[in-house]
């Protein structure tokens, strides 16, 4: 079974600073995918970025990048030049495992990020 | 806009009642997933359908049931509601391989009084 651990329940960061949100995963599958989602206070879940286990390079999407360290089983999300609108819950997820169904995602508990002006 | 539509957005009902939540996946997506999000349990996978067939089951209670119709929309039925069923219920559809990311609807917030 897959397991996702996010050790930071909450973080306060100054606007314009870079932010790193931690995520470790536990899987025995040789092939897997890792995802990050953002959930603002309005409630919707927004897909941010994906990293495949065989991808040679770290994924990037605009201000989001994923610091993927396969040997450590970590997939940390980095947000550069944080903005007030980045304040939200952030969830790390992996594909597969009993928590997500045949093709679904298993989610961590999330990190509540607050950007301060 | 994710392309996944959920109705209703908000629902308030009493204990013992039954409700139906509806979901329309993104055009072309065959898989539909239902998740429950509560403060104490986080995001819990309930059930997955693929092209009308149940594909995987998670922590779904026996009081809950779901189905996916030929037009691929899905319904989640919650019966004999209890206070603890109050939560945000998400439907998501999948883009499929190779990435398989889920696209979520805005959720249906259920309050049981």
């Amino acid at each position: 079974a897959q397991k996702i651990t996010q050790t930071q329940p909450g973080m306060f960061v100054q606007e314009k600073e870079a932010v790193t949100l931690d995520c470790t995963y536990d899987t025995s599958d040789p092939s897997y995918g890792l995802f990050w989602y953002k959930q603002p206070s309005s409630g919707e879940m927004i897909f941010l970025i994906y990293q495949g286990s065989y991808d040679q390079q770290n994924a990037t999407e605009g201000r989001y990048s994923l610091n993927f360290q396969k040997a450590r089983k970590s997939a940390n999300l980095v947000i550069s030049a944080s903005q007030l609108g980045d304040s939200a819950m952030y969830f790390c997820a992996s594909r597969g495992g009993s928590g997500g169904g045949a093709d679904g995602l298993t989610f961590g508990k999330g990190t509540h990020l607050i950007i301060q002006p | 806009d994710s392309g996944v539509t959920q109705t209703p957005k908000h629902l308030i009902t009493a204990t013992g009642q039954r409700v139906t939540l509806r979901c329309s996946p993104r055009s072309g997506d065959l898989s539909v997933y239902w998740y429950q999000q509560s403060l104490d349990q986080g995001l819990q996978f309930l059930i997955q359908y693929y092209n009308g067939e149940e594909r995987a089951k998670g922590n779904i209670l026996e009081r809950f049931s779901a189905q996916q119709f030929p037009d691929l929309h899905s319904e989640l039925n919650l019966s004999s509601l209890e206070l603890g069923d109050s939560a945000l219920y998400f439907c998501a559809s999948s883009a499929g391989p190779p990435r398989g990311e889920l696209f979520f609807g805005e959720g249906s917030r259920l309050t049981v009084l």
Side-chain angles (χ1 to χ4, degrees):
Chain A
Q2 304 223 353
K3 184 180 178 182
I4 298 289
T5 302
Q6 295 181 251
T7 57
Q8 306 153 308
M11 286 185 71
F12 288 88
V13 173
Q14 211 67 25
E15 189 180 8
K16 299 180 184 174
E17 289 183 352
V19 182
T20 297
L21 305 181
D22 295 340
C23 172
T24 58
Y25 58 93
D26 184 11
T27 178
S28 55
D29 294 333
S31 176
Y32 51 89
L34 298 160
F35 306 78
W36 277 91
Y37 283 81
K38 172 184 179 182
Q39 186 178 35
S41 58
S42 50
E44 71 270 30
M45 295 284 287
I46 303 167
F47 167 69
L48 295 178
I49 195 167
Y50 166 84
Q51 179 82 45
S53 58
Y54 291 120
D55 292 345
Q56 295 296 313
Q57 295 189 336
N58 287 342
T60 59
E61 290 282 351
R63 292 187 300 112
Y64 304 109
S65 61
L66 207 150
N67 183 1
F68 180 46
Q69 298 187 44
K70 197 170 182 177
R72 293 187 174 186
K73 294 190 174 181
S74 76
N76 298 339
L77 177 70
V78 180
I79 306 174
S80 63
S82 59
Q83 302 170 356
L84 297 179
D86 295 331
S87 296
M89 283 291 291
Y90 288 82
F91 292 94
C92 180
S94 65
R95 183 177 60 234
S98 61
D103 299 308
L105 303 184
T106 299
F107 286 86
K109 296 288 188 185
T111 295
H112 189 191
L113 175 65
I114 297 174
I115 307 298
Q116 297 176 310
Chain B
D1 183 1
S2 67
V4 177
T5 304
Q6 283 189 252
T7 57
K9 286 189 170 43
H10 300 276
L11 195 54
I12 301 174
T13 189
T15 54
Q17 294 299 304
R18 171 189 170 96
V19 298
T20 297
L21 310 180
R22 183 187 167 102
C23 168
S24 294
R26 293 186 330 153
S27 176
D29 287 353
L30 300 178
S31 278
V32 168
Y33 305 78
W34 287 98
Y35 281 82
Q36 179 194 57
Q37 186 180 34
S38 59
L39 283 175
D40 53 344
Q41 294 292 325
L43 269 159
Q44 296 284 312
F45 167 68
L46 296 179
I47 198 163
Q48 178 201 0
Y49 280 84
Y50 179 83
N51 203 19
E53 299 290 326
E54 181 184 304
R55 185 155 181 178
K57 235 174 188 178
N59 299 320
I60 188 166
L61 299 173
E62 285 192 9
R63 300 183 286 109
F64 295 0
S65 65
Q67 55 184 326
Q68 186 179 28
F69 295 87
D71 66 353
L72 301 179
H73 91 272
S74 177
E75 292 181 356
L76 178 67
N77 300 297
L78 315 175
S79 62
S80 302
L81 286 168
E82 302 175 359
L83 297 177
D85 297 328
S86 296
L88 187 56
Y89 291 84
F90 284 110
C91 169
S93 69
S94 173
R99 302 203 315 188
E101 68 266 43
L102 300 188
F103 293 91
F104 284 81
E106 294 184 341
S108 293
R109 186 169 294 282
L110 173 66
T111 303
V112 183
L113 301 177

